[in-house]
Amino acid sequence: MGRKILFVTTDQQRYDTLGCNGGTLARTPVVDALAAQGIRYERAVPQSVVCMPSRSTMLTGQHPSTHGVWMNGVPLPVDAPSVAARLHDHGYRTALVGKAHFEPFMDPFGRFTENRLSGSGSPTADNPWADGRIGPHRGFDHLEFATHGAAGMLHYARWLQQHHPEAIGMFYRTIDAAFNVNAEGGGASGAPQVHDNPIPRDWYHTDWVADRTIAWLDSLAVEDDWFCWMSFPDPHHPWDPPASELHRVDPAEVPLPAGYPSDRAERERLLDAKPRHWRQWYDGDLVANYEAPKEWVPATLTDAQVREVNARNAVECELIDEALGRVLQAVAARGWTDDVDVIFTTDHGELQGDFGLLFKGPYHVDGLMRLPLVWRPAPSAAATPAVVTHPVGLVDLAPTFCEIAGIEPASWMEGQALPADDGDAATRGFERVLTEWDSELFGVAVHLRTITRDGWVCTAYQPGYVHDGTEGELYDLADDPLQRVNRWGDPAVAGIQRDLLADLWDHQPAMRSPRPDVEAPV
Amino acid sequence: MASVRRSLRIARPAEEVWARIGDPADLPSWFPGIVDAQVDGSTRVITTGIGIPMPEEILTNDALARRFQYRLTAPIVASHLGTIDVFDLGDGTSLVAYATDATPDPVALIIGGACGNALHELRRQLEAPAPAAAPNGGEA
């Protein structure tokens, strides 16, 4: 028997939403305890700040250019490698419960396997996949999918349709009549994607994901080795947690985030010091990517809206923490605790008011780029608790799973197993993390390449719709933790900029050829 | 309105490629996600892989220009025009362009993405090696 792996992801969660990272709004005692027992990473960086590329990086251990999912809407190629498959081939039972999103959701043709699976049910000996096998798909024996509400064809939506059809209309309608991300506001403040959801808590997708994870774990033999990716759709917008839980965080008591300048003139001065697409989005003049509601103008954001979004986000984070606690209790009940590694992270962050913005986009700053990452090694491994300050990436997760399982990382993996402490990180060369952004939406192209190294974040803009290839951003993370002062082009740091750019281009992965097409908006 | 165009080169003669595209009832054989197509004059009703029927009006089926155009009339679109052109590259190969113009904009990407995928499937089928003939004249 080897070590078992519980891989817990959330969607679009900021670093500062956890108590162990200094967060004060949401109570997250379960993750905080894991961090105290294990390793907490202070500079975990995604390789993309949107879902599909980032999740594909987790699965493949590759940068977006390599696996090919360069933006939402690009399906992960069917021949892409999978760490789940590698674990499966070494005897692990493998499951993914919750949000996958390696393939587009918008699929009226039913072309993508993820969208078709709920119709064929969960495979068992009596009910195998349509082709007669009992898994795996992308290396998983067992798949049960959910996303941010009741729409679509995924398992959670079908479960609601079957057991609680009255709940279908309770969620926020994430897509509007024109198939754009909905800008409609709700709650007390009218903030976009905020909605009062009367759904009972135990019907909500956070608890469903935990329930289905426990059910899968209960189906295993006690001696099985297993890898379970439990993937919560929250706290990604819409911010529509069960209304019964809203009492947990009173928006009126929520302090305005440090990254949100409440003075409009200051906000706009900060935006004007950045490459021009920042201000253009703020003013409603340019929407560079599908993920931002097309009809919402960030300049209309109010203090009350920022407070309400942050309050509801905190409620969702608390529900996730409690759901994880239930799963860990189930693990303990099976007698597995000593042999289970738990890794908790997310795919990317959320602006959540920073610079007067919400959601995400081509903005490589901490709101989107600094992620929560906690690794609690199996207690039987007797690891020493630590805090790692060196930069690490989600690209390092796949080799970490291999190391836990006692197998060699595959040659196609581009990261290395996460360091146990800063000394280990220094010895093994954890110096830099790379992040990519490529969007091409109806003639608007934005291309960013970013390096995080030596306490700096440096982003080079490639030629596109609004950039000529000379623009960039350079932030000193120590002196400017809110990334308010763009040092790009500052003669005082010209050598640093030059060195970072040289390193960025030296380590840039080549784009998969031919480059896969965008096949849907998301 | 948004416009999405996908194109690729197929290593088969234009008339061979057109023979597939110009047959409106043959669509399910090369368009992943379309499982049925019923043609009645200038009307075609397709059925998607999740069982959604979508009526279409065939506007152009020109074997000389090798152009096929149609309009989705399903409620998913406010307006739509699909255009497939087959160009003879003069070397025994073809360029196929599949354009989708639609309102609302995101729907153009949903449909256009599926059309691009369909072109890849069409190329895969047309460029697949023919089954080798068995010595007795049957298929191997």
Side-chain angles (χ1 to χ4, degrees):
Chain A
M1 242 177 24
R3 284 156 67 179
K4 307 161 200 326
I5 303 165
L6 179 61
F7 178 41
V8 186
T9 57
T10 63
D11 194 351
Q12 199 161 304
Q13 182 172 4
R14 290 172 65 97
Y15 173 87
D16 54 13
T17 56
L18 294 178
C20 60
N21 290 337
T24 56
L25 275 187
R27 292 160 295 182
T28 55
V30 175
V31 177
D32 296 349
L34 294 170
Q37 299 158 14
I39 307 159
R40 184 173 63 81
Y41 297 86
E42 291 199 334
R43 184 56 61 180
V45 181
Q47 280 53 76
S48 168
V49 297
V50 293
C51 300
M52 290 181 67
S54 188
R55 289 162 181 273
S56 296
T57 289
M58 296 182 197
L59 185 68
T60 63
Q62 298 178 334
H63 291 85
S65 286
T66 307
H67 59 60
V69 184
W70 53 273
M71 182 39 61
N72 278 346
V74 178
L76 181 64
V78 291
D79 61 349
S82 159
V83 68
R86 188 158 178 83
L87 294 167
H88 174 88
D89 291 344
H90 284 79
Y92 270 68
R93 302 288 301 276
T94 52
L96 192 163
V97 181
K99 183 175 174 181
H101 209 187
F102 308 123
E103 298 160 8
F105 288 139
M106 286 189 164
D107 183 20
F109 295 95
R111 293 190 295 127
F112 300 111
T113 303
E114 287 177 16
N115 297 322
R116 290 199 306 266
L117 282 181
S118 67
S120 55
S122 297
T124 64
D126 296 329
N127 181 29
W129 295 126
D131 64 4
R133 293 177 301 126
I134 305 173
H137 173 63
R138 296 199 188 277
F140 294 101
D141 302 319
H142 181 90
L143 294 162
E144 285 186 81
F145 294 136
T147 186
H148 310 290
M153 300 174 275
L154 304 182
H155 297 81
Y156 174 63
R158 285 192 187 257
W159 176 80
L160 276 180
Q161 288 160 14
Q162 188 174 356
H163 298 284
H164 308 291
E166 66 273 32
I168 300 294
M170 293 179 180
F171 287 89
Y172 182 80
R173 196 161 51 98
T174 54
I175 305 297
D176 66 18
F179 290 84
N180 286 304
V181 174
N182 202 346
E184 185 179 354
S189 69
Q193 296 263 337
V194 164
H195 173 69
D196 292 336
N197 185 349
I199 193 168
R201 175 182 172 172
D202 56 353
W203 298 359
Y204 191 64
H205 43 71
T206 296
D207 276 12
W208 182 88
V209 168
D211 290 344
R212 298 313 303 157
T213 298
I214 292 169
W216 183 73
L217 292 171
D218 283 346
S219 75
L220 304 180
V222 73
E223 66 273 16
D224 282 340
D225 292 331
W226 49 264
F227 169 75
C228 182
W229 184 343
M230 177 169 65
S231 181
F232 294 105
D234 267 353
H236 188 291
H237 58 279
W239 294 289
D240 62 349
S244 61
E245 308 305 312
L246 294 180
H247 64 87
R248 293 164 177 255
V249 184
D250 180 357
E253 301 295 319
V254 172
L256 288 171
Y260 172 73
S262 58
D263 178 70
R264 172 179 293 273
E266 184 186 8
R267 274 204 307 265
E268 295 177 354
R269 181 182 61 77
L270 293 171
L271 290 166
D272 286 340
K274 298 181 183 301
R276 70 193 79 173
H277 69 294
W278 284 82
R279 180 64 192 264
Q280 287 177 326
W281 181 37
Y282 174 84
D283 287 334
D285 293 333
L286 176 76
V287 178
N289 57 299
Y290 181 79
E291 292 70 25
K294 185 181 176 187
E295 303 301 326
W296 179 64
V297 177
T300 63
L301 187 67
T302 66
D303 293 1
Q305 290 175 341
V306 173
R307 288 192 170 95
E308 189 163 39
V309 165
N310 276 271
R312 292 186 182 226
N313 183 286
V315 169
E316 294 178 352
C317 291
E318 289 195 359
L319 296 181
I320 289 168
D321 197 75
E322 291 167 13
L324 172 56
R326 283 202 296 122
V327 173
L328 293 178
Q329 286 175 358
V331 166
R334 298 297 305 273
W336 282 328
T337 299
D338 280 352
D339 292 321
V340 174
D341 285 67
V342 183
I343 295 182
F344 179 97
T345 191
T346 191
D347 54 357
H348 55 79
E350 154 69 49
L351 287 164
Q352 218 160 304
D354 285 358
F355 304 104
L357 306 170
L358 296 174
F359 310 111
K360 56 192 181 265
Y363 313 100
H364 285 176
V365 290
D366 272 6
L368 300 182
M369 292 266 285
R370 191 181 191 188
L371 308 184
L373 174 60
V374 169
W375 176 15
R376 198 291 308 274
S380 61
T384 303
V387 174
V388 171
T389 61
H390 282 242
V392 299
L394 298 182
V395 72
D396 299 319
L397 291 170
T400 305
F401 301 143
C402 290
E403 180 181 273
I404 293 168
I407 60 180
E408 283 293 311
S411 58
W412 35 263
M413 294 178 182
E414 296 178 329
Q416 52 180 334
L418 288 166
D421 52 40
D422 266 342
D424 184 26
T427 301
R428 293 198 287 129
F430 278 86
E431 289 181 78
R432 71 187 65 74
V433 181
L434 305 178
T435 306
E436 309 172 16
W437 174 282
D438 292 292
S439 57
E440 296 174 7
L441 184 68
F442 304 131
V444 177
V446 180
H447 303 286
L448 283 62
R449 293 293 181 271
T450 296
I451 185 169
T452 302
R453 203 196 79 179
D454 297 339
W456 293 82
V457 174
C458 178
T459 297
Y461 284 69
Q462 297 178 302
Y465 183 74
V466 291
H467 307 114
D468 63 14
T470 64
E471 301 91 336
E473 293 178 71
L474 179 64
Y475 300 108
D476 181 340
L477 294 171
D479 287 348
D480 181 22
L482 298 177
Q483 293 104 63
R484 291 189 169 194
V485 183
N486 184 6
R487 306 291 299 276
W488 182 269
D490 179 347
V493 293
I496 292 172
Q497 179 177 320
R498 193 165 49 245
D499 177 49
L500 289 170
L501 287 175
D503 201 33
L504 171 67
W505 299 123
D506 278 351
H507 291 87
Q508 206 54 223
M511 178 61 81
R512 180 185 173 108
S513 179
R515 191 183 75 160
D517 289 331
V518 172
E519 295 196 23
V522 69
Chain B
M1 173 175 287
S3 188
V4 173
R5 187 185 66 218
R6 301 283 189 251
S7 60
L8 51 72
R9 186 172 184 165
I10 297 179
R12 301 301 301 169
E15 58 267 27
E16 189 177 330
V17 176
W18 174 254
R20 301 292 299 277
I21 290 170
D23 178 359
D26 188 41
L27 187 68
S29 74
W30 59 271
F31 199 118
I34 293 180
V35 296
D36 187 52
Q38 297 295 322
V39 180
D40 181 8
S42 62
T43 300
R44 176 170 70 179
V45 179
I46 63 166
T47 303
T48 74
I50 59 170
I52 301 175
M54 292 194 193
E56 297 173 336
E57 179 186 4
I58 297 171
L59 305 173
T60 306
N61 191 351
D62 185 335
L64 292 178
R66 298 193 187 97
R67 164 169 279 196
F68 186 90
Q69 289 183 299
Y70 63 103
R71 191 185 304 284
L72 266 173
T73 54
I76 191 174
V77 288
S79 67
H80 170 263
L81 175 65
T83 302
I84 313 174
D85 284 308
V86 181
F87 300 97
D88 184 350
L89 296 181
D91 59 357
T93 72
S94 312
L95 177 70
V96 187
Y98 200 148
T100 301
D101 300 290
T103 303
D105 294 359
V107 177
L109 196 47
I110 297 170
I111 296 172
C115 295
N117 185 54
L119 287 187
H120 284 281
E121 174 59 18
L122 181 64
R123 178 167 67 180
R124 187 192 68 77
Q125 291 183 18
L126 287 170
E127 293 185 353
N136 63 3
E139 285 190 354

